[in-house]
Short mmCIF file of all heavy atoms in Angstrom, two decimals:
data_model
loop_
_atom_site.label_atom_id
_atom_site.label_comp_id
_atom_site.label_asym_id
_atom_site.label_seq_id
_atom_site.Cartn_x
_atom_site.Cartn_y
_atom_site.Cartn_z
N PRO Y 7 -4.61 -25.92 -9.85
CA PRO Y 7 -3.53 -25.42 -8.98
C PRO Y 7 -3.46 -23.91 -8.91
O PRO Y 7 -3.08 -23.34 -7.88
CB PRO Y 7 -2.26 -25.97 -9.64
CG PRO Y 7 -2.71 -27.11 -10.49
CD PRO Y 7 -4.13 -26.84 -10.88
N TYR Y 123 -2.47 20.11 7.04
CA TYR Y 123 -2.36 18.64 7.03
C TYR Y 123 -0.94 18.18 7.35
O TYR Y 123 -0.60 17.01 7.19
CB TYR Y 123 -2.77 18.08 5.65
CG TYR Y 123 -2.13 18.80 4.49
CD1 TYR Y 123 -0.80 18.57 4.17
CD2 TYR Y 123 -2.85 19.72 3.75
CE1 TYR Y 123 -0.20 19.24 3.12
CE2 TYR Y 123 -2.25 20.40 2.70
CZ TYR Y 123 -0.93 20.15 2.39
OH TYR Y 123 -0.33 20.83 1.35
N ILE Y 148 19.98 15.65 14.66
CA ILE Y 148 21.36 15.46 15.08
C ILE Y 148 22.13 14.49 14.21
O ILE Y 148 23.31 14.30 14.41
CB ILE Y 148 21.43 15.03 16.57
CG1 ILE Y 148 20.35 14.00 16.85
CG2 ILE Y 148 21.32 16.22 17.49
CD1 ILE Y 148 20.36 13.49 18.26
N ASN Y 175 11.65 20.26 4.63
CA ASN Y 175 12.04 20.78 3.33
C ASN Y 175 13.37 20.15 2.94
O ASN Y 175 14.41 20.46 3.51
CB ASN Y 175 12.15 22.31 3.44
CG ASN Y 175 12.60 22.94 2.15
OD1 ASN Y 175 12.91 22.25 1.18
ND2 ASN Y 175 12.64 24.26 2.13
N LEU Y 187 22.34 12.00 -2.88
CA LEU Y 187 21.92 11.60 -4.24
C LEU Y 187 23.12 11.12 -5.05
O LEU Y 187 23.01 10.16 -5.82
CB LEU Y 187 21.21 12.77 -4.94
CG LEU Y 187 19.84 13.15 -4.34
CD1 LEU Y 187 19.24 14.35 -5.05
CD2 LEU Y 187 18.86 11.98 -4.39
N THR Y 220 18.29 9.85 -12.47
CA THR Y 220 17.56 8.59 -12.26
C THR Y 220 16.55 8.63 -11.11
O THR Y 220 15.81 7.68 -10.90
CB THR Y 220 18.54 7.43 -11.99
OG1 THR Y 220 19.35 7.81 -10.88
CG2 THR Y 220 19.40 7.13 -13.20
N ALA Y 224 8.24 13.04 -6.26
CA ALA Y 224 6.83 13.11 -5.86
C ALA Y 224 6.57 14.56 -5.46
O ALA Y 224 7.11 15.03 -4.46
CB ALA Y 224 6.57 12.17 -4.69
N SER Y 240 3.90 23.91 -13.57
CA SER Y 240 4.15 23.75 -15.01
C SER Y 240 5.63 23.91 -15.31
O SER Y 240 6.21 23.16 -16.10
CB SER Y 240 3.37 24.77 -15.82
OG SER Y 240 2.01 24.52 -15.66
N TRP Y 289 -0.29 11.15 -11.72
CA TRP Y 289 -1.20 12.03 -10.98
C TRP Y 289 -1.93 11.22 -9.94
O TRP Y 289 -2.46 10.15 -10.23
CB TRP Y 289 -2.16 12.67 -11.98
CG TRP Y 289 -3.39 13.30 -11.40
CD1 TRP Y 289 -4.57 12.66 -11.11
CD2 TRP Y 289 -3.60 14.67 -11.04
NE1 TRP Y 289 -5.48 13.56 -10.61
CE2 TRP Y 289 -4.92 14.80 -10.56
CE3 TRP Y 289 -2.79 15.81 -11.09
CZ2 TRP Y 289 -5.44 16.01 -10.12
CZ3 TRP Y 289 -3.33 17.02 -10.66
CH2 TRP Y 289 -4.63 17.11 -10.18
N TRP Y 323 2.11 -12.50 -0.42
CA TRP Y 323 2.62 -11.40 0.42
C TRP Y 323 1.61 -11.07 1.51
O TRP Y 323 1.95 -10.96 2.69
CB TRP Y 323 2.91 -10.18 -0.46
CG TRP Y 323 3.41 -9.00 0.33
CD1 TRP Y 323 2.69 -7.92 0.73
CD2 TRP Y 323 4.74 -8.81 0.84
NE1 TRP Y 323 3.48 -7.05 1.45
CE2 TRP Y 323 4.74 -7.57 1.54
CE3 TRP Y 323 5.92 -9.54 0.79
CZ2 TRP Y 323 5.88 -7.07 2.17
CZ3 TRP Y 323 7.05 -9.03 1.42
CH2 TRP Y 323 7.02 -7.82 2.10
N GLY Y 333 7.85 -4.90 5.73
CA GLY Y 333 9.21 -4.60 5.26
C GLY Y 333 9.59 -3.13 5.29
O GLY Y 333 10.66 -2.77 4.83
N VAL Y 366 19.66 -1.90 14.72
CA VAL Y 366 18.30 -1.66 15.22
C VAL Y 366 17.39 -2.81 14.77
O VAL Y 366 16.62 -3.36 15.56
CB VAL Y 366 17.74 -0.30 14.70
CG1 VAL Y 366 16.28 -0.13 15.10
CG2 VAL Y 366 18.56 0.87 15.23
N ASN Y 372 11.79 -8.69 16.78
CA ASN Y 372 10.44 -9.15 17.11
C ASN Y 372 9.43 -8.01 17.08
O ASN Y 372 8.34 -8.14 16.53
CB ASN Y 372 10.41 -9.82 18.49
CG ASN Y 372 11.15 -11.14 18.45
OD1 ASN Y 372 11.40 -11.67 17.37
ND2 ASN Y 372 11.53 -11.64 19.61
N ASP Y 390 -12.69 -11.43 8.55
CA ASP Y 390 -13.92 -12.11 8.12
C ASP Y 390 -14.25 -11.84 6.65
O ASP Y 390 -15.34 -12.15 6.19
CB ASP Y 390 -15.10 -11.64 8.99
CG ASP Y 390 -14.92 -12.05 10.44
OD1 ASP Y 390 -14.33 -13.12 10.67
OD2 ASP Y 390 -15.34 -11.30 11.33
N SER Y 411 -12.34 0.47 10.25
CA SER Y 411 -13.63 1.17 10.22
C SER Y 411 -13.82 1.86 8.88
O SER Y 411 -14.95 2.04 8.43
CB SER Y 411 -13.69 2.24 11.30
OG SER Y 411 -13.32 1.71 12.53
#
Side-chain angles (χ1 to χ4, degrees):
Y123 48 76
I148 42 179
N175 178 356
L187 292 177
T220 56
S240 295
W289 164 274
W323 179 260
V366 174
N372 291 343
D390 295 327
S411 310

